[in-house]
Amino acid sequence: MDKVSIAGPLEVEDGKLVLRVPLEVGGEKLAPYAKGIGRVQGGFLIVEIQPWLAEKLGIAAGSEVMVDNLDGKFRIQSRSTAHFPPAAAHGARLGRTRVQRPTITLP
């Protein structure tokens, strides 16, 4: 398994909160882990964030989130709580933990 950690902003697309991960910087490696919540379209893995999850994580349009597959599952967390591992994929941004919010692991 290729481990991938990528950070990026949430956007609104067709009234839904989404994260767009370019395929060339790790989206293609994350896509198999995002089945059921993500789709590949136009060079991006597009992951839809459900309202209950956005509320639980304290995120909204413009929020920075981190997604990864570090424990063999698709994980998403607010960037304010994300700890970026040194082996993060190229193209990923680095940050530090500030506020403790939950990490959600999706099956």
Side-chain angles (χ1 to χ4, degrees):
M1 166 183 76
D2 290 327
K3 294 181 179 181
V4 178
S5 294
I6 298 177
L10 294 176
E11 304 172 6
V12 175
E13 177 183 276
D14 297 326
K16 298 178 181 178
L17 192 60
V18 299
L19 175 65
R20 298 169 54 88
V21 181
L23 295 177
E24 69 270 6
V25 298
E28 79 287 347
K29 294 175 184 167
L30 289 171
Y33 300 93
K35 287 187 180 188
I37 61 164
R39 69 185 185 281
V40 174
Q41 180 180 339
F44 292 90
L45 169 62
I46 301 172
V47 178
E48 184 178 336
I49 309 300
Q50 295 296 321
W52 68 265
L53 179 58
E55 184 177 337
K56 185 165 185 101
L57 293 174
I59 56 177
S63 296
E64 290 273 329
V65 296
M66 185 188 88
V67 292
D68 66 51
N69 64 347
L70 298 183
D71 34 344
K73 296 183 179 182
F74 188 86
R75 296 187 326 155
I76 183 167
Q77 58 187 322
S78 169
R79 185 166 186 252
S80 65
T81 64
H83 171 71
F84 293 83
H90 57 85
R93 295 181 219 156
L94 300 178
R96 298 200 183 278
T97 300
R98 285 182 269 151
V99 177
Q100 197 61 19
R101 289 196 182 120
T103 297
I104 303 296
T105 301
L106 302 171

